[in-house]
């Protein structure tokens, strides 16, 4: 029996500038340092994972990339050109699509309506101008199938889909509307094991379609399954930055869990010997 072969490396052109690059970026809210000297690279056909617990600065990082907040220090580059995004529409126009954890869908509207929400094609002119419903239905079905998503019916309300299916629809939508960079905010946070696997499959499909993906997560196991680069945040500061070939899952998990702090805590929590209140006799022993 021959040994299994390692998967072939993905074709990524490292000579080209990163689609998005943050170089020592900082963000302050008054005297509070939300981010300080954080660096991140996002390349086409790669997944850059940002890991951290609650309060680590992940949300602030997302808002800077998505154009919601401006950075206060450092450099933000898009395809090698220094940039300051004015607003989320500016980010979208430059090919940066962000899928937030709440997805911002209308639960009672059908899947195809949510797929085109805010960008609906029309037909006719003047008083006869109307939504091109047939085009939206057919396009939604085709684009979902292209990503490997086979929904029972694109006319069903999107609220009837599972959390994983809704995430997949959002990913397919971003790909269809020409995103170059896809930012995913904790896409597996509220999902079970099976649904998380489904979502990660489509995250990998977006990568294979040539997008640069930023995966925000608190799960090193999910990150290591698909990630090419890893940035760890702790209280707004980078506590680690690795490429896939420079770190193991065990080491990534150890750093994510706190590393030396966790070891120190384990020593503090070690069970101490029972106190001897009675001159060496076991507690509760009333023998004279």
């Amino acid at each position: 029996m021959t040994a299994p072969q390692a998967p072939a490396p993905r074709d990524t052109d490292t000579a080209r500038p990163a689609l998005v690059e943050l170089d020592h970026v900082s963000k302050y809210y008054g005297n509070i340092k939300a981010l300080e000297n954080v660096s991140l690279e996002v390349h086409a056909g790669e997944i850059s994972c940002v890991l951290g617990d609650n309060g680590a600065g992940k949300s602030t990082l997302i808002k800077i990339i998505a154009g919601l907040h401006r950075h206060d220090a450092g450099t933000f580059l898009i395809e090698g050109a220094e940039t300051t995004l004015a607003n989320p529409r500016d980010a979208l126009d430059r090919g940066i699509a962000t899928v937030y954890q709440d997805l911002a869908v209308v639960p009672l509207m059908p899947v195809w309506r949510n797929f085109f929400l805010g960008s609906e094609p029309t037909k006719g002119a003047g008083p006869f101008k109307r939504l091109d419903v047939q085009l939206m239905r057919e396009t939604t079905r085709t684009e979902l199938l292209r990503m490997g998503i086979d929904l029972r019916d694109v006319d069903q309300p999107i609220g009837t889909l599972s959390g994983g299916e809704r995430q997949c629809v959002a990913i397919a939508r971003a790909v269809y509307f020409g995103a170059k960079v896809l930012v995913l905010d904790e896409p597996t946070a509220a999902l079970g094991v099976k649904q998380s696997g489904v979502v990660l499959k489509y995250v990998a499909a977006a990568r294979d379609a040539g997008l640069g993906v930023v995966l925000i997560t608190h799960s090193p196991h999910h990150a290591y399954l698909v990630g090419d680069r890893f940035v760890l945040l702790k209280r707004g500061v980078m506590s680690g930055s690795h490429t896939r070939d420079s770190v193991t899952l065990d080491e990534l998990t150890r750093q994510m869990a706190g590393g030396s702090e966790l070891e120190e805590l384990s020593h503090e929590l070690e069970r101490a010997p029972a106190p001897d209140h009675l001159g060496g006799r076991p507690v509760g022993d009333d023998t004279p």
Side-chain angles (χ1 to χ4, degrees):
M1 181 181 295
T2 59
Q5 295 183 347
R10 290 188 294 276
D11 183 17
T12 56
D13 187 356
T14 55
R16 298 173 61 184
L19 294 176
V20 166
E21 182 178 357
L22 278 66
D23 185 15
H24 293 87
V25 163
S26 300
K27 177 65 181 177
Y28 309 112
Y29 298 101
N31 294 327
I32 300 173
K33 299 177 180 179
L35 283 181
E36 189 169 27
N37 293 328
V38 173
S39 298
L40 173 71
E41 291 184 16
V42 185
H43 290 267
E46 288 188 1
I47 298 175
S48 297
C49 300
V50 179
L51 299 100
D53 287 327
N54 293 336
K58 303 191 301 296
S59 295
T60 302
L61 185 66
I62 291 174
K63 290 172 182 176
I64 291 173
I65 299 175
L68 279 166
H69 291 173
R70 297 190 182 190
H71 58 288
D72 296 317
T75 307
F76 184 8
L77 300 100
I78 297 180
E79 297 188 85
E82 187 170 348
T83 302
T84 298
L85 296 174
N87 49 52
R89 173 52 63 181
D90 190 12
L92 280 171
D93 291 342
R94 292 168 181 258
I96 301 174
T98 303
V99 178
Y100 293 99
Q101 194 170 337
D102 59 11
L103 295 179
V105 297
V106 183
L108 296 179
M109 283 187 175
V111 173
W112 61 264
R113 190 72 170 82
N114 276 277
F115 192 92
F116 281 92
L117 196 62
S119 304
E120 295 85 349
T122 59
K123 60 182 179 180
F128 301 104
K129 188 175 182 180
R130 60 199 184 278
L131 295 177
D132 194 338
V133 175
Q134 182 178 356
L135 175 63
M136 286 191 280
R137 281 189 178 123
E138 293 176 352
T139 302
T140 300
R141 186 177 293 108
T142 299
E143 292 304 314
L144 292 178
L145 282 173
R146 183 174 297 173
M147 289 287 291
I149 307 167
D150 187 9
L151 289 184
R152 296 174 295 278
D153 182 8
V154 295
D155 283 302
Q156 68 187 103
I158 199 168
T160 63
L161 301 182
S162 68
E165 288 173 328
R166 290 197 296 272
Q167 287 281 355
C168 297
V169 170
I171 292 170
R173 181 185 191 279
V175 173
Y176 172 72
F177 282 101
K180 296 179 182 178
V181 175
L182 180 61
V183 184
L184 299 170
D185 176 21
E186 299 271 12
T188 62
L191 304 180
V193 175
K194 185 175 181 180
Q195 287 193 33
S196 294
V198 171
V199 171
L200 291 175
K201 174 183 174 183
Y202 296 120
V203 171
R207 172 202 66 199
D208 294 341
L211 277 71
V213 180
V214 181
L215 176 63
I216 312 294
T217 181
H218 62 267
S219 171
H221 292 81
H222 290 169
Y224 204 77
L225 280 172
V226 295
D228 298 286
R229 301 171 187 269
F230 309 96
V231 169
L232 291 94
L233 297 182
K234 181 180 179 182
R235 298 175 186 173
V237 179
M238 287 177 60
S239 60
S241 179
H242 310 280
T243 57
R244 185 179 183 85
D245 58 1
S246 67
V247 68
T248 64
L249 174 58
D250 288 344
E251 177 61 19
L252 192 67
T253 303
R254 191 189 72 84
Q255 292 187 25
M256 176 68 184
S260 59
E261 291 183 7
L262 194 63
E263 293 174 6
E264 183 178 332
L265 178 62
S266 67
H267 290 305
E268 293 178 6
L269 296 177
E270 283 182 359
R271 187 184 296 261
D276 188 354
H277 299 297
L278 302 174
R281 287 177 295 177
V283 175
D285 185 357
D286 296 328
T287 304

